[in-house]
Amino acid sequence: MIKLVDQSSLQEFEVTSDEVRIYMKRGGAVSPVIVEETASVAAPAVQPAAGVAAQATSVPAVETKPASVPTAAVQTEQPVAAAPAALDLHKITSPMVGTFYRAPEVGAAPYVQPGDQINRTTVVCIVEAMKLFNEIEAEVDGEIVEVLVENGQLVEYGQPLFLVKAR
């Protein structure tokens, strides 16, 4: 599980079952893994997670700084005049963690492009999670202004996917 999170762009990961909660978060030099017992669980079921925690403290630190440097550079290069216009835009966000796809299949035209008029029920993309392809609807009437995610990119829950000028 640690390797999958490390190889992805995820900053946080949480799995909860009836008896165990595992929470991982990237950041700084140490990335904690928290295992909570919500009911009595046999010790062998918890011990592997504790063993994994030692690995997690050193692995994610490698990607944290390079990922944050380009983001800061992109933000500082944007013109100041664009800031007021961005306040009027609606963000379509990802309802889940998964892989973002702009089109229904490889080689097909994207669902939407900048300049397209959309309504609340317009499918704007697909987010694949655990081999299930979930169509994401706009949930707002307006015009697509910008696509914020690259095709095939991993997305997080709540991550903005599109900017829409609402009607």
Side-chain angles (χ1 to χ4, degrees), residues 4 21-22 25 29 34 71 92 100 109 113 121 134 137 151 160:
L4 290 173
R21 175 180 171 250
I22 299 174
K25 180 177 180 181
I34 302 168
T71 304
I92 298 175
F100 171 85
Q113 296 185 31
T121 59
N134 303 282
E137 294 182 348
N151 196 46

Side-chain angles (χ1 to χ4, degrees), residues 20-44:
V20 177
R21 175 180 171 250
I22 299 174
Y23 176 77
M24 293 183 265
K25 180 177 180 181
R26 289 184 195 235
V30 178
S31 184
V33 174
I34 302 168
V35 178
E36 296 178 4
E37 289 185 49
T38 57
S40 64
V41 177

Side-chain angles (χ1 to χ4, degrees), residues 56-133:
T57 58
S58 61
V59 175
V62 176
E63 292 185 32
T64 302
K65 290 194 181 219
S68 63
V69 172
T71 304
V74 169
Q75 290 174 351
T76 58
E77 293 173 8
Q78 293 178 351
V80 177
L87 297 176
D88 297 336
L89 300 178
H90 174 79
K91 293 178 186 174
I92 298 175
T93 59
S94 178
M96 65 192 76
V97 173
T99 305
F100 171 85
Y101 295 106
R102 291 190 63 191
E105 59 186 45
V106 176
Y111 284 108
V112 294
Q113 296 185 31
D116 287 356
Q117 295 296 317
I118 59 170
N119 61 44
R120 294 179 185 280
T121 59
T122 302
V123 174
V124 294
C125 67
I126 293 176
V127 175
E128 176 193 4
M130 300 188 316
K131 303 294 181 191
L132 295 175
F133 293 85

Side-chain angles (χ1 to χ4, degrees), residues 1-20:
M1 196 175 340
I2 297 281
K3 286 182 183 179
L4 290 173
V5 172
D6 183 45
Q7 293 170 353
S8 73
S9 63
L10 297 175
Q11 296 300 314
E12 294 183 49
F13 178 76
E14 181 176 0
V15 175
T16 305
S17 71
D18 293 336
E19 300 171 345
V20 177

